[in-house]
Amino acid sequence: MMWEKRTLNTRIQTLSGLRGYSSRAPRRFQLSLRRGACGATEMQFSGIHRKRLRLGEQKNASYPHSLQFYLQPPSENISLIEFENLAIDRVKLLKTVENLGVSYVKGTEQYQSKLEAEIRKLKFSYRENLEGEYEQRRRDHISHFILRLAYCQSEDLRRWFIQQEMDLLRFRFSILPKDKIQSFLKDSHLHFEAISDEEKVQREQEIIASSPSLSGTQLELESVYKIPFADALDLFRGRKVYLEDGFAFVPLKDIVAIILNEFRAKLSKALALTARSLPTVQSDERLLPLLNHLSHSYTGQDYNTQGNTGKISLDQIDSFSTKSFPPCMRQLHKALRENHHLRHGGRMQYGLFLKGIGLTLEQALLFWKQEFIKGKMDPDKFDKCYSYNIRHSFGKEGKRTDYTPFSCMKIILTNPPGQGDYHGCPFRHSDPELLKQKLQSYKISPGGINQILDLVKGTHYQVACQKYFEMIHNVDDCGFSLSHPNQFFFESQRLLTGGKDIRKEPVQPETPQPKPSVQKNKDASSALASLNSSMEMDMEDLEDYFSQ
């Protein structure tokens, strides 16, 4: 492949005393990223002695905004310790973005204030008009590209990273001054132009008609952007945009969805290209442990090995399904008991969930066989057609991969259910009226149903599931950020069996009891305390490793 002569360099200087290197002669290394004609990126390490790059008066020009699309890699010298610290701080920020996103409705005052406080605490950029923001924007730029190396290694990692970066961009764009938006769009290579007031008046009726929530008075204060039709397909699909001569006329309140789609597409492609070039970076023995640690430690627990394997019996599953299963698994269990069969998507989602809560391979084979035989299936046919897949999911067949239970994000974003399927997320994939009927059958109060449906309408699916958890367990605040169906189960069992930190006696969902207010405060702070504790331990582990 022919490479252009233009080279973007990021030089990483190791400090004295690191593993395998003399403290008397610290070495400098250069990480070269060469961009070819097809847009691919090649990374090469080579020994080099260079002076630190001085930006001088170019500092402000380097980072004109508090947010960016990260189109160009960084080019400067950094120490390995700074590399490590920037990576850890960035992951702390993204974990906070994730936890706040499932604890609060995105865009609300509470969500905005808590996220801004965390960004300020970690010294990343967030406000456009603040003075002396160069260092914060530099940290933001470099740390993003470091995490690309860690989170490009698998589909699940890429999905998690993209989602959190999109939520972070959404927050930053929401507080971007209106007079800076056009400049940001131009710097991000987005050819969206705000139309003049005269053009807006000419199309006022059409724009208002296509945006029911937008009144004439609001339109006078709102900028409207002229965007190529192909970039506004989602709005067009929902009949929420006015089209004319191949262009969509999009109010400012709707343009964020288009910007996020562009950002997702660009970042997804960049992560794929980074993954292709990753073996070159992994050849450096100092970076590989750090990147692996980052990618394995911060996407949440996989709930594959719990230490309680075999501690539940098949007789308990029916009882657990009504008391401690999240709605996605509750509906799968109900469908299996009624139809004595589930399609492949349902068997994968439910089977891995049961594996995660403690079902052994032998129990799983017996559980599925007993149920399928009730549906008039011949036992020999089950052994030939289905038992292999069950053993395969436990890592006993094929390539011996020990599969992990699906997370909420994976269930919501991948493999939507079709006709006759029961897998997926009820809050994401169910018709609102059917969801309402389902919640009524679960004995949720009318007021609680309305709260959940409002969250679903705003696409806050995990927050809706968390609200469901609070209602069936009669708690005002569950004290954790829900990100996994197995997490739902274990937190439920912790409450119902009188866990170590829970004073509340086990209760049935149908008979709610008042709780002392002190419990709410204790639960509400436990998640943040746990997160901070785990992050500090991870940082200490990394520092200890690189100081050996």
Side-chain angles (χ1 to χ4, degrees), residues 87-114:
I88 293 174
D89 285 346
R90 183 73 174 204
V91 172
K92 284 184 179 181
L93 176 59
L94 296 187
K95 282 299 295 181
T96 299
V97 170
E98 179 187 37
N99 290 333
L100 291 177
V102 297
S103 299
Y104 303 95
V105 176
K106 295 172 186 175
T108 59
E109 184 176 348
Q110 272 188 313
Y111 175 87
Q112 299 281 100
S113 62
K114 288 181 179 294

Side-chain angles (χ1 to χ4, degrees), residues 181-411:
I181 291 178
Q182 191 65 61
S183 174
F184 163 71
L185 295 176
K186 181 180 179 181
D187 291 340
S188 302
H189 300 171
L190 299 176
H191 304 294
F192 306 160
E193 293 186 6
I195 63 175
S196 64
D197 290 338
E198 291 76 13
E199 292 179 291
K200 187 163 62 174
V201 170
Q202 290 175 5
R203 299 173 176 84
E204 179 178 1
Q205 297 302 320
E206 291 82 359
I207 295 173
I208 292 176
S210 64
S211 303
S213 62
L214 195 64
S215 66
T217 304
Q218 291 174 321
L219 184 60
E220 292 180 7
L221 305 174
E222 189 95 340
S223 298
V224 177
Y225 291 83
K226 185 178 180 181
I227 296 174
F229 162 72
D231 293 328
L233 290 179
D234 286 344
L235 293 175
F236 171 71
R237 192 176 294 115
R239 298 183 178 183
K240 296 179 181 179
V241 67
Y242 170 62
L243 301 178
E244 182 182 314
D245 297 332
F247 288 93
F249 291 81
V250 184
L252 176 61
K253 70 179 184 65
D254 293 328
I255 201 174
V256 64
I258 298 175
I259 292 173
L260 290 175
N261 282 339
E262 291 285 337
F263 180 69
R264 180 199 291 116
K266 285 181 168 59
L267 182 54
S268 180
K269 182 178 179 180
L271 289 172
L273 294 173
T274 304
R276 190 184 305 169
S277 305
L278 194 61
T280 307
V281 179
Q282 290 177 329
S283 64
D284 187 281
E285 63 181 19
R286 302 159 303 157
L287 295 183
L288 182 58
L290 172 61
L291 296 178
N292 286 340
H293 181 87
L294 289 171
S295 64
H296 286 90
S297 298
Y298 295 100
T299 54
Q301 192 171 351
D302 61 18
Y303 294 95
N304 192 33
T305 304
Q306 287 296 323
N308 62 338
T309 302
K311 292 185 179 179
I312 68 169
S313 68
L314 297 183
D315 295 336
Q316 291 176 291
I317 294 179
D318 285 330
S319 174
F320 284 155
S321 70
T322 58
K323 295 179 179 179
S324 296
F325 279 15
C328 56
M329 302 304 167
R330 187 170 180 175
Q331 76 174 10
L332 281 167
H333 182 78
K334 183 173 183 289
L336 178 63
R337 289 302 197 202
E338 291 178 350
N339 304 324
H340 311 299
H341 186 271
L342 286 175
R343 292 183 176 178
H344 178 72
R347 295 197 304 273
M348 282 294 293
Q349 181 175 317
Y350 189 42
L352 291 175
F353 169 80
L354 292 176
K355 173 189 173 185
I357 68 173
L359 223 60
T360 65
L361 173 58
E362 293 72 20
Q363 287 176 312
L365 287 167
L366 181 59
F367 171 76
W368 289 101
K369 187 172 184 176
Q370 287 178 342
E371 199 60 46
F372 275 45
I373 289 175
K374 291 178 183 178
K376 310 304 181 185
M377 178 177 288
D378 185 84
D380 291 337
K381 182 178 179 181
F382 178 88
D383 291 336
K384 292 177 181 178
C385 300
Y386 296 96
S387 61
Y388 176 88
N389 288 335
I390 297 172
R391 293 196 301 272
H392 188 273
S393 68
F394 277 79
K396 304 302 182 182
E397 300 285 357
K399 58 182 179 179
R400 309 287 177 173
T401 299
D402 195 11
Y403 291 92
T404 59
F406 293 171
S407 66
C408 291
M409 188 178 297
K410 185 167 186 175
I411 293 173

Side-chain angles (χ1 to χ4, degrees), residues 45-64:
F45 277 98
S46 59
I48 194 166
H49 290 273
R50 294 268 182 99
K51 293 182 179 179
R52 181 179 296 274
L53 178 65
R54 295 179 180 178
L55 296 176
E57 296 179 355
Q58 298 179 358
K59 284 185 175 182
N60 293 332
S62 300
Y63 305 114

Side-chain angles (χ1 to χ4, degrees), residues 426 429-439 449 453 456:
H429 298 116
S430 292
D431 177 81
E433 188 59 36
L434 292 177
L435 176 61
K436 181 178 180 180
Q437 295 175 14
K438 193 171 297 183
L439 293 173
I449 292 175
L453 292 178
V456 170

Side-chain angles (χ1 to χ4, degrees), residues 15-19 80-86 88-89 92 289-290 293-294 298 535-548:
L15 301 182
S16 59
L18 298 182
R19 294 173 53 130
L80 190 59
I81 294 299
E82 185 180 12
F83 182 100
E84 171 190 331
N85 290 336
L86 285 175
I88 293 174
D89 285 346
K92 284 184 179 181
L290 172 61
H293 181 87
L294 289 171
Y298 295 100
M535 289 297 185
E536 293 302 325
M537 290 176 63
D538 287 328
M539 181 182 290
E540 291 172 4
D541 290 343
L542 284 170
E543 291 174 348
D544 291 341
Y545 176 86
F546 282 103
S547 62
Q548 289 178 1

